[in-house]
Every structure is written in structure tokens, then in C-alpha cells.
Amino acid sequence: MQEPTVEAVQGAKVVVTGAAGGIGAALARRFAAQGAQVAVNDLDADRVKAVADEIGGIAVPGDASSIVAEAREALGGRVDVYCANAGVGRDGGEPGEPLDEQGWALSWDVNVMAHVRAAHALLPDWLERGAGRFVSTVSAAGLLTMLGTAPYSVTKHGAHAFAEWLSLTYRHRGVKVHAICPQGVRTDMLTASGSAGRLVLEPTAIEPDDVVDALFRGIEEDRFLILPHPEVAAYYKARADDPERWLSGMNRLQQQWEATR
């Protein structure tokens, strides 16, 4: 069934990072189906080309931190929508184990600084034109947390904080910001999350297209916070209302996970 057209993205020039598969590929397909011209980015050049060829888009392989200028040129000199979707999930080592500083640095660079660099490159033009849309794939871990992976949890909090800052700083100047915060999504990253993912995320995991559906509803309704799993709103509220109770509950889940390892 063809999705209803969202006027805000018809004819838009769109960049999607991390688009070789999963949520990114689903975003690229949907934007193209909605009449946008899409630049598809990922490190995997072959998979990027395959997605771009499928949707009639433009392949822009490379590091998501540094492709804004190339993508803008490929799109004819303008970017209207930037989807900061590329992300990594790394385990930084538990206390008592060797500290994986390289894993922490990579998580910070991809999950946070790539967003900062993209916004730095995009904002001058957006502010001059009074229009632009920044879509940040954050994860519910950025609102709550995730067992077993401190770098992912911490940096996703950072990604959410940056998206929030962009929104409150520039919304009156025409810049729209959306933070997508799903729980489990059936992608390679969920598979790689191991026993913690199987315990916490798999039971309610959704498809990448479900995430995209939630985003496009949010675009139509002009909402910042996109919750493909609506129950995350209640968890987020419970965390704020009673942090001690929430932490105790999460610790019980941690103990449950430890008992299965």
C-alpha cells in the first residue's frame, strides 16, 4: 500500500547517513517514495550504491562526519533534510576489565560528533534560508539507558541532548529537529547486542519501516520527540518522577541479565 504523501518532503533534497541497511535504508526508501531526491551515505560503498540504484538516489559513500559538502554538491547545491542516522554500539569494558578507550572514542565520534559536525556545516545555509530539517536517530537508550553498553548509552544521551539543544536554539529561525528514540529494531545492531538485547529489546522489537512511519507522523505533526515504541513515554516519565524507583527497577533487570550470562 502506498503511503500518503507528506507535503513537507516532496521535492526535498535529503541526506541519509548509515543508509546501507536497517533504519537508514528504510529512511532513504521512504523519502524517495515521497518524491525527495536522496543522497545515500555509509562506509560500505557497494551497499550504498545498491540502495541508491534501487531508489534512484545518489551514492555518497564515506565517513558520515565529513560528507555534507560532497552530498550538497551531489544534490545540486542544497540540503533540505539531513538524517543523522549512522551509529555504532560498542562495549567499553566493565569495571575491573581493560578499558576500551578506542571503543569509547569511536562511539563518541560517530554517535555525537558526527551530528555536531553535520549541523556546523548545514546551519549557515539553513539559517540564511530560514528552513532546514535535522533528523537524529537517537534510540530509547538516549532517554533511558541500555544494559551492558556504557558507551552506547552515554553517547546516545549526548545525541539526544544535542538534538534538543538544536531545537530550542533554532526553531524560531525555521530549523526543524526530530529525535527518533526507538527501543529494539530488527537490524544488524540488534543482532549484535547479544544477550542484553535478547532480554531487553527483542520481545518488543519492530521493523525499520515502523520507525520510519513514526518519523513521518512526527514530521506531519511537527513533533521533536519521535517514539516508535509509545510505551517509552511512560518509562521516561517514571524515570523523571522517581529516579530511585526507576534505578532500582533497572538494577533488578541487570541482575536478571547477569543470571543468564
Side-chain angles (χ1 to χ4, degrees):
M1 183 177 69
Q2 186 174 1
E3 295 293 331
T5 301
V6 176
E7 186 177 350
V9 302
Q10 288 182 62
K13 309 284 191 174
V14 179
V15 179
V16 184
T17 69
I23 295 172
L27 284 167
R29 292 184 182 108
R30 184 69 58 84
F31 275 108
Q34 292 279 322
Q37 185 179 13
V38 184
V40 183
N41 164 259
D42 206 295
L43 289 172
D44 190 325
D46 290 339
R47 292 177 69 192
V48 163
K49 184 178 185 306
V51 174
D53 288 348
E54 174 194 339
I55 66 172
I58 303 166
V60 185
D63 187 334
S65 287
S66 58
I67 54 90
V68 169
E70 184 180 352
R72 182 188 285 128
E73 182 178 355
L75 290 170
R78 192 179 88 233
V79 174
D80 300 307
V81 182
Y82 188 90
C83 298
N85 174 75
V88 295
R90 291 291 294 266
D91 182 355
E94 296 184 20
E97 297 179 351
L99 178 63
D100 181 7
E101 295 210 22
Q102 186 176 13
W104 273 96
L106 178 64
S107 296
W108 181 255
D109 195 63
V110 176
N111 295 346
V112 182
M113 291 308 300
H115 298 205
V116 174
R117 294 182 189 111
H120 184 75
L122 292 161
L123 278 168
D125 176 59
W126 285 358
L127 295 175
E128 182 178 342
R129 289 197 281 132
R133 192 177 300 271
F134 193 93
V135 179
S136 177
T137 302
V138 174
S139 163
L143 300 178
L144 307 169
T145 196
M146 178 57 192
L147 303 183
T149 173
Y152 185 76
S153 296
V154 171
T155 56
K156 287 299 186 177
H157 274 269
H160 177 257
F162 183 65
E164 196 171 57
W165 183 87
L166 284 178
S167 182
L168 67 88
T169 303
Y170 297 114
R171 60 171 48 202
H172 67 293
R173 299 181 65 181
V175 176
K176 309 286 188 181
V177 183
H178 308 280
I180 311 175
C181 299
Q183 292 191 111
V185 183
R186 295 188 184 98
T187 65
D188 291 344
M189 189 175 288
L190 176 60
T191 303
S193 65
S195 58
R198 288 193 295 275
L199 174 66
V200 178
L201 302 176
E202 278 191 359
T204 60
I206 59 177
E207 298 296 333
D209 279 338
D210 297 321
V211 177
V212 179
D213 288 342
L215 170 64
F216 273 71
R217 287 193 297 270
I219 290 174
E220 288 189 291
E221 297 166 6
D222 198 19
R223 281 189 288 107
F224 167 77
L225 191 58
I226 310 298
L227 300 179
H229 293 80
E231 61 269 27
V232 169
Y235 302 153
Y236 192 36
K237 183 177 185 301
R239 176 178 177 269
D241 286 347
D242 193 340
E244 292 301 324
R245 182 177 181 181
W246 182 80
L247 286 167
S248 293
M250 288 299 292
N251 180 251
R252 287 192 296 272
L253 192 60
Q254 170 75 18
Q255 293 177 61
Q256 182 181 344
W257 175 50
E258 289 179 6
T260 68
R261 295 168 69 186

